[in-house]
Amino acid sequence: MAAGAQGPTAGEYITHHLEHLTNVKQGFIVDFSVINYDSIFIALVLGLLGVWILHRAAKNATSGVPGRFQAAVELLVEMVDGQAKANIHNAESRKFVAPLALTVFVWIFLMNAMDLLPVDLLPHLWGMAHEDPHHAYLRVVPTADLSTTFGLSLAVLALCLYYSVKIKGWGGWAHELVTAPFGTSKNPVFAVILGVINFVMQIIEYLAKTVSHGMRLFGNMYAGELVFMLIALMGGYAAMSFGGAMLGLGHVIAGTIWAIFHILVITLQAFIFMMLALIYLGQAHSHH
């Protein structure tokens, strides 16, 4: 199929949908000069939507028999509060961390849920505003962007460092960096050697937790996005091939099954990210 005559090939279609709306073309694997406008804008809009939903639930809450919306939000709040109490035993810290965890869960769920929209819907509407829609890039799932998930995991890391210092003090945290996990020794030489090893292990642990925290969410959502694109291609080829009816039927069945399954995925990934954040913050409160 010629790209110029009948439209893009399968590879060109997927490549186009994986391009971000950016300020400049990315030149390196790690290029901090690139700003993905689509991820930032959609994430901000969904963040405000999440805050509005929670604010509306709190504002309209009644002491009588709750409606479905209030009951759902109350169950969510109780679930998050229970997990916060299980991981963070400092009551003062929980006043900030528990609402933060709730906000993170709702925000990530909403960003993940953008994957349930038809693949071409928002990019097509965006392209209609341009003279050349084939070069109008727009990705609508912020959590399928590594910049977004790493930004979230780095924020969790910053909070972990903050609470490590706040709870243990600069001296206590510095002592932990050079004495955990292998302890220390009364012998000055061995103490220095163990201190260096412990410090290196602590830095590796911080880096590993941060990278895996962001990569887990990104990997799952990126893979889900690719599957939806492949299913969309089945529908596109259905009108142009001899077995179009079978492809069309497969497109509907596969899309329905994957969308239903993906509801579990987007919820589970939001829950896992929130839980890992609570676990890491709980570790920051613990003394080794």
Side-chain angles (χ1 to χ4, degrees):
M1 178 170 60
Q6 298 180 340
T9 64
E12 291 169 342
Y13 173 84
I14 292 177
T15 300
H16 175 79
H17 278 281
L18 293 178
E19 289 284 341
H20 284 281
L21 175 64
T22 62
N23 58 330
V24 294
K25 188 72 175 179
Q26 183 171 340
F28 309 96
I29 295 178
V30 179
D31 190 348
F32 292 106
S33 66
V34 177
I35 301 175
N36 294 336
Y37 292 129
D38 43 12
S39 295
I40 294 174
F41 176 76
I42 294 173
L44 286 175
V45 170
L46 294 176
L48 292 174
L49 176 62
V51 171
W52 177 80
I53 291 173
L54 296 175
H55 172 72
R56 180 171 176 267
K59 183 179 180 180
N60 297 332
T62 60
S63 58
V65 179
R68 294 180 181 179
F69 176 66
Q70 181 180 334
V73 174
E74 286 180 355
L75 286 173
L76 180 60
V77 171
E78 289 176 5
M79 181 272 291
V80 174
D81 187 59
Q83 297 299 333
K85 288 180 179 178
N87 288 280
I88 299 173
H89 305 296
N90 187 302
E92 183 180 352
S93 296
R94 282 201 308 272
K95 293 179 181 179
F96 173 77
V97 174
L100 175 68
L102 176 64
T103 304
V104 165
F105 176 83
V106 173
W107 191 21
I108 292 179
F109 174 82
L110 291 174
M111 289 192 288
N112 291 350
M114 294 295 288
D115 219 1
L116 297 176
L117 293 176
V119 172
D120 293 295
L121 177 60
L122 292 183
H124 177 71
L125 294 176
W126 174 250
M128 288 175 62
H130 295 74
E131 295 181 1
D132 188 3
H134 294 295
H135 293 87
Y137 301 112
L138 182 71
R139 290 185 67 181
V140 300
V141 186
T143 44
D145 180 3
L146 193 56
S147 299
T148 302
T149 58
F150 265 173
L152 292 169
S153 64
L154 285 171
V156 173
L157 172 63
L159 283 173
C160 288
L161 297 177
Y162 168 76
Y163 278 110
S164 292
V165 174
K166 180 180 179 181
I167 301 299
K168 306 163 190 175
W170 285 104
W173 182 50
H175 181 264
E176 180 180 284
L177 287 177
V178 296
T179 58
F182 299 121
T184 187
S185 173
K186 293 182 179 179
N187 185 301
V189 176
F190 288 133
V192 171
I193 294 174
L194 284 173
V196 172
I197 294 174
N198 287 328
F199 180 77
V200 172
M201 291 297 294
Q202 287 281 340
I203 298 302
I204 292 175
E205 180 182 351
Y206 277 119
L207 291 175
K209 289 192 297 187
T210 302
V211 171
S212 64
H213 201 188
M215 285 293 294
R216 181 181 288 105
L217 177 59
F218 162 74
N220 281 277
M221 298 314 302
Y222 187 84
E225 190 179 35
L226 284 176
V227 172
F228 275 120
M229 291 178 190
L230 293 173
I231 294 173
L233 281 171
M234 291 176 62
Y237 278 106
M240 298 181 290
S241 62
F242 179 74
M246 294 301 296
L247 280 174
L249 181 61
H251 167 76
V252 174
I253 294 174
T256 301
I257 293 174
W258 182 246
I260 293 173
F261 174 73
H262 210 57
I263 294 173
L264 174 63
V265 172
I266 64 177
T267 306
L268 185 61
Q269 290 305 314
F271 178 77
I272 290 174
F273 192 96
M274 179 202 72
M275 279 301 304
L276 287 175
L278 288 174
I279 291 171
Y280 295 158
L281 288 170
Q283 290 175 347
H285 284 73
S286 301
H287 293 271
H288 296 282

